Amino acid sequence: GESVGLHLPTLSVQEGDNSIINCAYSNSASDYFIWYKQESGKGPQFIIDIRSNMDKRQGQRVTVLLNKTVKHLSLQIAATQPGDSAVYFCAERGGGSGAGSYQLTFGKGTKLSVIP
Amino acid sequence: DAGVIQSPRHEVTEMGQEVTLRCKPISGHNSLFWYRQTMMRGLELLIYFNNNVPIDDSGMPEDRFSAKMPNASFSTLKIQPSEPRDSAVYFCASRPSGAAETQYFGPGTRLLVL
């Protein structure tokens, strides 16, 4: 889920298990959402995106679910591997044609730790 | 295929000094973003360029910060004078034109102001 204060929420999973990382977004007008993965010492790396006219999108080992009713986004990682250990950020795009049309608003992130 | 390139990767300086961070976006991308990341505030957008023109600099903290994009393949973020509270990781991201909205991030510059 989203972070509060200084501490990132941490999700610890056993290698091979599935992981679910959640994100609550704030803007009901947001029309585009992205999940990024950030490994220590690196920049955020694009994982998967979804538009607001969809409620599910699948990639390789990852699935993003969007529930617009409750403004909730989740990232599911199948068969989690040690290399999946990182901080995961959700980002939303405000939609429309004004300033929000290009700006991504990022969540504070969730730290995923994979136990070998 | 090179991604976004940033330099330097690490910078340690003393309060009051000028700091210049550099970014080379992915070739063909026409939008460029500068972000700052701290534990307290997460990722914050500082400024956005489209076709080398600054579109939105409302995220720039104060007049000590300035950014330029003299051409499509180069941008700088300058802090003058630097202060300890500027210590953070600064990311540059670029985005292709057209319908794609995904931003591709560079490796970041870790800045420490003493």
Side-chain angles (χ1 to χ4, degrees), chain A residues 6 32 36 38 51 102, chain B residues 37 40 56 91 101-103:
Chain A
L6 298 176
Y32 178 67
Y36 284 92
Q38 186 175 20
R51 299 190 184 278
Y102 60 82
Chain B
Q37 186 178 42
M40 283 290 293
D56 183 0
F91 289 104
E101 288 94 354
T102 303
Q103 296 177 21

Side-chain angles (χ1 to χ4, degrees), chain B residues 46-104:
Chain B
L46 301 177
I47 187 168
Y48 156 60
F49 291 87
N50 190 50
N51 292 323
N52 313 337
V53 176
I55 304 299
D56 183 0
D57 64 354
S58 59
M60 296 286 263
E62 47 198 273
D63 291 345
R64 297 184 299 106
F65 285 69
S66 63
K68 294 181 180 180
M69 192 166 186
N71 57 62
S73 59
F74 184 66
S75 177
T76 59
L77 177 68
K78 186 175 292 186
I79 308 172
Q80 167 63 21
S82 58
E83 296 182 3
R85 61 194 169 116
D86 302 329
S87 298
V89 183
Y90 290 82
F91 289 104
C92 176
S94 69
R95 189 187 75 190
S97 60
E101 288 94 354
T102 303
Q103 296 177 21
Y104 296 87

